[in-house]
Amino acid sequence: MSERVDSYARVVVIGGGIAGASVFYHLAIDHGWTDIALVERDELTSGSTWHAAAQVTQFGANQTAIALKRHSIQLYKKLAQDEDFPFAYHFTGGMRLANTKAQVDTYKHMVGMANGMGADMEFIDPSEVAKRHPLINPEGLLGAWWDPLDGDIDPAGITFAMVRKAREAGAKVYRFNPVENITRKANGEFIVHTLKGDITCEKVVNATGYRVNEVGNMLGVTHPVTSMEHMYFLTEPMAELEALDKRVPIIRDPRDDFYCRQEKNGLLVGVYEQGCKTFGMDGISPDFTKALCPDDLDRCLDNMEGIFECLPALQNVGIHTIINGPITYTIDGAPLIGPIPGVENAYCAIGLRAGIGESGGHGKILAEIIVSGQSEWDSWYTDPRRFTQYANTELTCLKSIEDYQNEFHYHMPHEQRPAGRLARTTPLYPVLDQLGAVWGTVNGWERALMFKPTPDFEETATYRFNESHPIVAQEIAALQKDVGVMEVSGFNRYELKGEGTQQWLDHLVCGGIPKQVGQVRLCYLLNKNGRMLCEATLAKLGENHFWYGSAAAAEWHDRDYLLTTKPDTVVLTEMASSHTILVVAGAKSRDLLQSLSPRCDWSAKGFGWMQARPMTLGHAQVLAMSVSFSGELSYELHIPNEQLYLVWTLLDSAGKAFNLTKFGLYATESMRLEKGYLHWKADIIDEFNPIEAGLDRFVNLNKQDFVGKQALLAAIEKGCGHTLCTFEVMADVAPAHGGDPVFHEGAQVGVVTSGGYGHRINKNLAYAYLKADVAKAVDDFTIQIIGTHYQAKKVERCLYDPQNLKPRSKEEEVPRG
């Protein structure tokens, strides 16, 4: 056995594949953290990295994905130019083939988004596809999405290059050194117990590939990561390629679920077969290193006929080698890069189905989070806390299989994939399902999006306006005229109680918090850099007794922050699974509720705007809040789940006299856009501060102190760089989508964060952060939607009831303002 390890490191990175190497590199080179260690159980790259097909592309489903891939390309290009340690990196260009009109729309949207991030992509027609790849048969194609920087790289070369640079800076590497356990000291430090000795460290990173849960279990967690067997084959040399003076581009084809690139003078062809197979579900042998799974090309036979039609030259060449190795997947196909939920100072870089192509960016994101608490880019796309307790191994397996089978099929708007559904439901699910609910999921919870007009109604997944458009308009019109009810499942809710609760919350919030019992306020919490971290509804229920509510998706994100900042005297109780909200909204909402509450006062005078009251409906007890995300007179009924069905039946029965209807999440999204209300992790992201987001009224700079105050003051003094603006888009075929580029006088000046149709004002709306100087302009804006530029007019943030009279109600004289 070689020499023992050093006994201390600031950070221990576990795993010597591409992910661990990138985190190691970025900590040492970008941030100067050289008192760190990388620990690998075998040789570097001995997991999935060594057998990777190693394609490096700018393709990405969102802005963060594109940014991290572009960073990877820039970093890899720089490292590949090291004359002393050269390795292969080929830029061939690449194309994703389009066979349907929906794919054309998708690619045109993605091209616009990518170019808005600085890429230079284009959508090309079938003749150009054939011109750029002489082996392809363009029959049946509608075109392709072209990426000029697509290419392939030596996976071992880039991994060793990053580790070498970090070692040269002074960081330590310990190969052939398995981690045997991880324990924790009373002061919070970790002890990483390895074969060659113990390492005490402040922070630990799990970057262990398909062995992710062997190390996860040492930290007391199970990560939602499953490995899938994946096959590609290498052909014998091909005369057609030998005759060319350049390498052919990479192909990715959703029709037959395959990719193809050149490897020497042959082709490498990878297949995403529908009859796919998981790996390691019953454990992985300690001896499985630099190893492969048994060949099983028969699984891919259903794909082969289409592949041969697309690339006829393959019919005349032999297969030289078959590679079948494990790669990792998560529930949504995106990686887990960031803090491990519930384990302070523990991080992960795992679930990397596209590890080689993305990990240069993964390392950048995680190193920035470790050092500064946040990345340059909003990293919710990769945040491990986006999955919560529902994400068990079995669910992860189901979703990983589904995602593998849809590898080249981007998730489209209005698309609801079926695997792993019903993970989280309320007692009302079967009731609403019988009533025709169209279901989507939010943090695993089934939530009604809208209600079918007929049992055979089907919604088309598309970037364009679809069949739901008139139905959503009808749901909104009905509640606007009379009254509607919506279930909000999974709303994130914590009870915060104990000595010092009010003082602690006041320090976290950048504005005012509710000071009187029964008061409700919308609040914003910033990080230490003065950027937006959390949006919360705080209700004061007693002295040092509050309810904290936030987006369903924020459950573990907010929990971790609250738990790591709260005083020991404060008790946090999780309530997302114990209570459900019914929203009763519309002109007759007060009348309906009053009819069920003869001994309660629902009047504007007795139960004013932004108040919370314990109320009785029939013989059910609820906590009611007079708040509105719709802009109508509205009440949230927070109901213990054991009485949820009771309250529903009471409302349903009494509601007949008030023309009670149902509405869903689509209607709520439309209405919040009209009111200027922002969406967490769409419009509210940690790349911007609350002043840039137009949330000045929720910031009190006269407070003695709050988290992020000094950084926010510095940003204001320097001059905030962006402004969130609202646009009316002159497009009647489609809404704007997140990532769509915004132009002023022909130059790009920003990107859309969210968009949709406002049915009460009949306007197509979009929100976008613009550069601050351009945000002062009024005219000459366009937004590119599905490849077409549409005129866009800058408008006020709140376009529906700007004085907010409807939620306050004119039942009796109410103060304006």
Side-chain angles (χ1 to χ4, degrees), residues 319-379:
I319 293 176
H320 179 273
T321 305
I322 299 174
I323 301 292
N324 185 22
I327 56 176
T328 54
Y329 277 75
T330 65
I331 286 175
D332 62 0
L336 302 179
I337 313 294
I340 295 176
V343 188
E344 190 174 3
N345 288 324
Y347 305 85
C348 58
I350 54 179
L352 316 181
R353 72 175 187 185
I356 303 299
E358 297 182 349
S359 276
H362 295 156
K364 169 184 163 64
I365 287 174
L366 187 52
E368 290 172 346
I369 290 172
I370 291 171
V371 173
S372 304
Q374 72 169 96
S375 173
E376 172 187 356
W377 313 306
D378 187 275
S379 55

Coordinates of all heavy atoms in Angstrom, one line a residue, residues 319-379:
I319 N -19.5 -4.7 -37.7 CA -19.3 -4.1 -36.4 C -18.0 -4.6 -35.8 O -17.8 -5.8 -35.7 CB -20.5 -4.5 -35.5 CG1 -21.8 -3.8 -36.0 CG2 -20.3 -4.0 -34.0 CD1 -23.1 -4.2 -35.3
H320 N -17.2 -3.6 -35.3 CA -15.9 -4.0 -34.8 C -16.0 -4.2 -33.3 O -15.4 -5.2 -32.7 CB -14.9 -2.8 -35.0 CG -13.6 -3.0 -34.5 ND1 -13.2 -2.7 -33.2 CD2 -12.4 -3.5 -35.1 CE1 -11.9 -3.0 -33.0 NE2 -11.4 -3.5 -34.2
T321 N -16.7 -3.4 -32.5 CA -16.7 -3.4 -31.1 C -18.1 -3.0 -30.6 O -18.7 -2.1 -31.1 CB -15.6 -2.5 -30.4 OG1 -14.4 -2.8 -31.0 CG2 -15.6 -2.7 -28.9
I322 N -18.6 -3.6 -29.5 CA -19.8 -3.2 -28.8 C -19.4 -2.8 -27.4 O -18.7 -3.5 -26.7 CB -20.8 -4.3 -28.8 CG1 -21.2 -4.7 -30.2 CG2 -22.1 -3.9 -28.0 CD1 -22.2 -6.0 -30.3
I323 N -19.9 -1.6 -27.0 CA -19.7 -1.1 -25.6 C -21.0 -1.1 -25.0 O -22.0 -0.4 -25.5 CB -19.0 0.3 -25.7 CG1 -17.7 0.2 -26.4 CG2 -18.9 0.8 -24.2 CD1 -16.6 -0.6 -25.7
N324 N -21.2 -1.7 -23.8 CA -22.4 -1.6 -23.0 C -22.0 -1.3 -21.6 O -21.5 -2.2 -20.8 CB -23.1 -3.0 -23.1 CG -24.5 -2.9 -22.4 OD1 -25.0 -1.8 -22.2 ND2 -25.0 -4.1 -22.0
G325 N -22.2 -0.1 -21.2 CA -21.8 0.3 -19.9 C -22.8 1.2 -19.2 O -23.7 1.7 -19.8
P326 N -22.7 1.3 -17.8 CA -23.7 2.1 -17.1 C -23.5 3.6 -17.2 O -22.4 4.1 -17.1 CB -23.5 1.6 -15.7 CG -22.1 1.1 -15.6 CD -21.7 0.6 -17.0
I327 N -24.6 4.3 -17.3 CA -24.6 5.7 -17.2 C -25.8 6.1 -16.2 O -26.7 5.3 -16.1 CB -24.8 6.4 -18.5 CG1 -26.1 6.0 -19.3 CG2 -23.6 6.2 -19.4 CD1 -26.4 6.7 -20.5
T328 N -25.7 7.2 -15.6 CA -26.6 7.6 -14.5 C -27.7 8.5 -15.0 O -27.4 9.4 -15.8 CB -25.9 8.1 -13.3 OG1 -25.1 9.2 -13.7 CG2 -25.0 7.1 -12.6
Y329 N -28.9 8.4 -14.4 CA -30.0 9.2 -14.7 C -30.7 9.7 -13.4 O -30.6 9.0 -12.4 CB -31.1 8.5 -15.5 CG -30.8 8.5 -17.0 CD1 -29.8 7.6 -17.5 CD2 -31.5 9.2 -17.9 CE1 -29.5 7.6 -18.9 CE2 -31.3 9.2 -19.2 CZ -30.3 8.4 -19.8 OH -30.0 8.4 -21.1
T330 N -31.4 10.8 -13.5 CA -32.2 11.3 -12.4 C -33.7 11.2 -12.8 O -34.0 10.8 -13.9 CB -31.8 12.7 -12.0 OG1 -32.2 13.6 -13.1 CG2 -30.4 12.8 -11.6
I331 N -34.6 11.7 -11.9 CA -36.0 11.7 -12.2 C -36.4 12.5 -13.4 O -37.2 12.1 -14.2 CB -36.8 12.1 -11.0 CG1 -36.7 11.0 -9.9 CG2 -38.2 12.5 -11.3 CD1 -37.4 11.4 -8.6
D332 N -35.7 13.6 -13.6 CA -36.0 14.5 -14.8 C -34.9 14.6 -15.8 O -35.0 15.4 -16.7 CB -36.4 15.9 -14.3 CG -35.2 16.6 -13.6 OD1 -34.1 16.0 -13.4 OD2 -35.4 17.8 -13.1
G333 N -33.9 13.7 -15.7 CA -32.8 13.7 -16.7 C -31.8 14.7 -16.5 O -30.7 14.7 -17.1
A334 N -32.0 15.7 -15.6 CA -31.0 16.7 -15.3 C -30.1 16.3 -14.1 O -30.5 15.5 -13.3 CB -31.7 18.1 -15.0
P335 N -28.9 16.8 -14.1 CA -28.0 16.4 -13.0 C -28.3 16.9 -11.6 O -29.2 17.8 -11.5 CB -26.6 16.9 -13.5 CG -27.0 18.1 -14.3 CD -28.3 17.8 -15.0
L336 N -27.7 16.4 -10.6 CA -27.8 16.9 -9.2 C -26.5 17.5 -8.9 O -25.5 16.8 -8.5 CB -28.2 15.8 -8.3 CG -29.5 15.0 -8.6 CD1 -29.7 13.9 -7.5 CD2 -30.7 15.9 -8.6
I337 N -26.5 18.8 -8.9 CA -25.2 19.6 -8.7 C -25.6 20.6 -7.6 O -26.3 21.6 -7.9 CB -24.7 20.3 -9.9 CG1 -24.7 19.4 -11.1 CG2 -23.3 20.9 -9.6 CD1 -23.7 18.3 -11.1
G338 N -25.1 20.4 -6.4 CA -25.3 21.4 -5.4 C -25.4 20.8 -4.0 O -24.8 19.7 -3.8
P339 N -26.0 21.5 -3.0 CA -26.1 21.0 -1.6 C -26.9 19.7 -1.5 O -28.0 19.6 -2.1 CB -26.8 22.1 -0.9 CG -26.7 23.3 -1.8 CD -26.7 22.8 -3.2
I340 N -26.4 18.8 -0.7 CA -27.2 17.6 -0.4 C -28.3 17.9 0.6 O -28.0 18.5 1.6 CB -26.3 16.4 0.1 CG1 -25.3 16.0 -1.0 CG2 -27.1 15.3 0.6 CD1 -24.3 15.0 -0.5
P341 N -29.5 17.7 0.3 CA -30.6 18.1 1.2 C -30.4 17.5 2.6 O -30.2 16.3 2.8 CB -31.9 17.5 0.5 CG -31.5 17.4 -0.9 CD -30.1 17.0 -0.9
G342 N -30.5 18.4 3.6 CA -30.5 17.9 5.0 C -29.2 17.6 5.6 O -29.1 17.3 6.7
V343 N -28.1 17.8 4.8 CA -26.7 17.5 5.3 C -25.9 18.7 5.1 O -25.3 18.9 4.0 CB -26.1 16.3 4.6 CG1 -24.8 15.9 5.3 CG2 -27.1 15.1 4.6
E344 N -25.7 19.6 6.1 CA -25.0 20.8 5.9 C -23.5 20.6 5.5 O -22.9 19.7 6.1 CB -25.1 21.6 7.2 CG -24.6 23.1 7.0 CD -24.8 23.9 8.3 OE1 -25.3 23.4 9.3 OE2 -24.4 25.1 8.2
N345 N -23.0 21.4 4.6 CA -21.7 21.3 4.1 C -21.3 20.0 3.3 O -20.2 19.7 3.1 CB -20.7 21.5 5.2 CG -20.6 22.9 5.7 OD1 -20.8 23.9 5.0 ND2 -20.5 23.1 7.0
A346 N -22.4 19.3 2.9 CA -22.2 18.2 2.0 C -22.8 18.5 0.6 O -23.9 19.1 0.6 CB -22.8 16.9 2.6
Y347 N -22.1 18.1 -0.4 CA -22.5 18.5 -1.8 C -22.4 17.3 -2.7 O -21.8 16.3 -2.4 CB -21.6 19.6 -2.3 CG -21.6 20.9 -1.4 CD1 -20.7 20.9 -0.4 CD2 -22.4 21.9 -1.7 CE1 -20.6 22.0 0.5 CE2 -22.4 23.1 -0.8 CZ -21.5 23.1 0.2 OH -21.5 24.2 1.0
C348 N -23.0 17.4 -3.9 CA -22.9 16.3 -4.8 C -22.8 16.8 -6.2 O -23.3 17.9 -6.6 CB -24.1 15.4 -4.7 SG -25.7 16.1 -4.9
A349 N -22.2 16.0 -7.1 CA -22.2 16.2 -8.5 C -22.4 14.9 -9.2 O -21.5 14.1 -9.5 CB -20.8 16.8 -9.0
I350 N -23.7 14.5 -9.3 CA -24.1 13.2 -9.6 C -25.3 13.2 -10.6 O -25.8 14.2 -11.0 CB -24.5 12.4 -8.3 CG1 -25.6 13.2 -7.6 CG2 -23.4 12.1 -7.4 CD1 -26.2 12.6 -6.3
G351 N -25.6 12.0 -11.1 CA -26.7 11.9 -12.0 C -26.4 12.5 -13.4 O -27.3 13.1 -14.0
L352 N -25.2 12.2 -13.9 CA -24.7 12.9 -15.1 C -24.9 12.1 -16.3 O -24.0 11.4 -16.8 CB -23.3 13.3 -14.9 CG -22.9 13.9 -13.5 CD1 -21.4 14.2 -13.5 CD2 -23.7 15.1 -13.2
R353 N -26.1 12.1 -16.9 CA -26.3 11.3 -18.1 C -25.4 11.8 -19.3 O -25.1 11.1 -20.2 CB -27.7 11.3 -18.5 CG -28.3 12.6 -19.1 CD -29.7 12.4 -19.6 NE -30.1 13.6 -20.3 CZ -31.3 13.8 -20.7 NH1 -32.2 12.9 -20.5 NH2 -31.6 14.9 -21.3
A354 N -25.1 13.1 -19.2 CA -24.2 13.7 -20.3 C -23.0 14.3 -19.6 O -22.6 15.5 -19.8 CB -25.0 14.8 -21.0
G355 N -22.3 13.4 -18.9 CA -21.2 13.9 -18.0 C -20.1 14.6 -18.7 O -19.6 15.6 -18.3
I356 N -19.6 14.0 -19.8 CA -18.5 14.6 -20.5 C -18.8 15.9 -21.1 O -18.1 16.9 -20.9 CB -17.9 13.6 -21.6 CG1 -17.6 12.3 -21.0 CG2 -16.7 14.3 -22.3 CD1 -16.5 12.3 -20.0
G357 N -20.0 16.0 -21.7 CA -20.4 17.2 -22.4 C -20.7 18.4 -21.5 O -20.6 19.5 -21.9
E358 N -21.1 18.1 -20.2 CA -21.5 19.1 -19.3 C -20.6 19.4 -18.2 O -20.7 20.5 -17.5 CB -22.9 18.8 -18.8 CG -24.0 18.6 -19.8 CD -25.4 18.3 -19.2 OE1 -25.4 18.0 -18.0 OE2 -26.4 18.4 -19.9
S359 N -19.7 18.5 -17.8 CA -19.1 18.6 -16.5 C -18.1 19.7 -16.3 O -17.8 20.1 -15.2 CB -18.5 17.2 -16.1 OG -19.4 16.3 -15.6
G360 N -17.6 20.2 -17.4 CA -16.8 21.4 -17.2 C -17.7 22.5 -16.5 O -17.2 23.2 -15.6
G361 N -18.9 22.6 -16.9 CA -19.9 23.6 -16.3 C -20.3 23.1 -15.0 O -20.5 23.9 -14.0
H362 N -20.5 21.8 -14.8 CA -20.9 21.3 -13.5 C -19.9 21.7 -12.4 O -20.3 22.1 -11.3 CB -21.0 19.7 -13.5 CG -22.1 19.2 -14.4 ND1 -22.1 18.0 -14.9 CD2 -23.2 19.8 -14.9 CE1 -23.1 17.8 -15.7 NE2 -23.9 18.9 -15.7
G363 N -18.6 21.5 -12.7 CA -17.6 21.8 -11.7 C -17.6 23.3 -11.4 O -17.4 23.7 -10.2
K364 N -17.8 24.1 -12.4 CA -17.9 25.6 -12.2 C -19.0 25.9 -11.2 O -18.9 26.7 -10.3 CB -18.1 26.3 -13.5 CG -18.4 27.8 -13.4 CD -18.7 28.4 -14.7 CE -19.4 29.8 -14.7 NZ -18.7 30.8 -13.9
I365 N -20.2 25.4 -11.5 CA -21.4 25.7 -10.7 C -21.2 25.3 -9.2 O -21.4 26.0 -8.3 CB -22.6 25.0 -11.2 CG1 -23.1 25.6 -12.5 CG2 -23.8 24.9 -10.2 CD1 -24.3 24.9 -13.2
L366 N -20.7 24.0 -9.0 CA -20.6 23.5 -7.7 C -19.4 24.3 -6.9 O -19.6 24.6 -5.7 CB -20.3 22.0 -7.7 CG -20.4 21.4 -6.3 CD1 -21.6 21.8 -5.5 CD2 -20.2 19.9 -6.4
A367 N -18.3 24.5 -7.6 CA -17.3 25.3 -6.9 C -17.7 26.6 -6.5 O -17.4 27.1 -5.3 CB -16.1 25.4 -7.8
E368 N -18.5 27.3 -7.3 CA -19.0 28.6 -6.9 C -20.0 28.5 -5.7 O -20.0 29.4 -4.9 CB -19.7 29.3 -8.1 CG -18.7 29.7 -9.2 CD -19.3 30.2 -10.5 OE1 -20.6 29.9 -10.7 OE2 -18.6 30.8 -11.3
I369 N -20.8 27.5 -5.7 CA -21.8 27.3 -4.6 C -21.0 27.0 -3.3 O -21.3 27.6 -2.3 CB -22.7 26.2 -4.9 CG1 -23.7 26.6 -6.1 CG2 -23.5 25.8 -3.7 CD1 -24.6 25.5 -6.6
I370 N -20.0 26.2 -3.4 CA -19.2 25.9 -2.2 C -18.5 27.1 -1.7 O -18.4 27.4 -0.5 CB -18.2 24.8 -2.5 CG1 -18.9 23.4 -2.8 CG2 -17.1 24.6 -1.4 CD1 -18.0 22.3 -3.3
V371 N -17.9 27.9 -2.6 CA -17.1 29.1 -2.1 C -18.0 30.3 -1.8 O -17.7 30.9 -0.8 CB -16.1 29.4 -3.2 CG1 -15.4 30.7 -2.9 CG2 -15.1 28.3 -3.4
S372 N -19.0 30.6 -2.6 CA -19.7 31.8 -2.5 C -21.2 31.6 -2.1 O -21.9 32.6 -1.9 CB -19.7 32.6 -3.8 OG -18.3 32.8 -4.2
G373 N -21.7 30.4 -2.1 CA -23.1 30.2 -1.7 C -24.0 30.2 -2.9 O -25.2 29.8 -2.7
Q374 N -23.6 30.7 -4.1 CA -24.4 30.6 -5.2 C -23.5 30.7 -6.5 O -22.4 31.1 -6.4 CB -25.4 31.8 -5.3 CG -24.7 33.2 -5.6 CD -25.7 34.3 -5.9 OE1 -26.1 35.0 -5.0 NE2 -26.1 34.4 -7.1
S375 N -24.1 30.2 -7.6 CA -23.4 30.2 -8.8 C -23.6 31.5 -9.6 O -24.5 32.3 -9.2 CB -23.8 29.0 -9.7 OG -23.2 29.1 -11.0
E376 N -22.8 31.8 -10.6 CA -23.0 32.9 -11.5 C -24.4 32.8 -12.1 O -25.1 33.8 -12.3 CB -21.9 32.9 -12.5 CG -22.2 33.9 -13.6 CD -21.2 33.8 -14.8 OE1 -20.2 32.9 -14.7 OE2 -21.3 34.5 -15.8
W377 N -24.8 31.6 -12.4 CA -26.1 31.3 -13.0 C -27.1 30.8 -12.0 O -26.7 30.1 -11.1 CB -26.0 30.3 -14.2 CG -24.9 30.6 -15.1 CD1 -24.6 31.7 -15.8 CD2 -23.8 29.6 -15.5 NE1 -23.5 31.5 -16.6 CE2 -23.0 30.3 -16.4 CE3 -23.5 28.3 -15.1 CZ2 -21.8 29.7 -16.9 CZ3 -22.4 27.7 -15.6 CH2 -21.6 28.4 -16.6
D378 N -28.4 31.1 -12.1 CA -29.3 30.5 -11.3 C -29.3 29.0 -11.5 O -29.4 28.5 -12.7 CB -30.7 31.0 -11.5 CG -31.7 30.4 -10.5 OD1 -32.2 29.3 -10.7 OD2 -32.0 31.1 -9.5
S379 N -29.0 28.2 -10.5 CA -28.7 26.8 -10.7 C -29.9 25.9 -10.2 O -29.6 24.7 -9.8 CB -27.4 26.4 -9.9 OG -27.5 26.8 -8.6

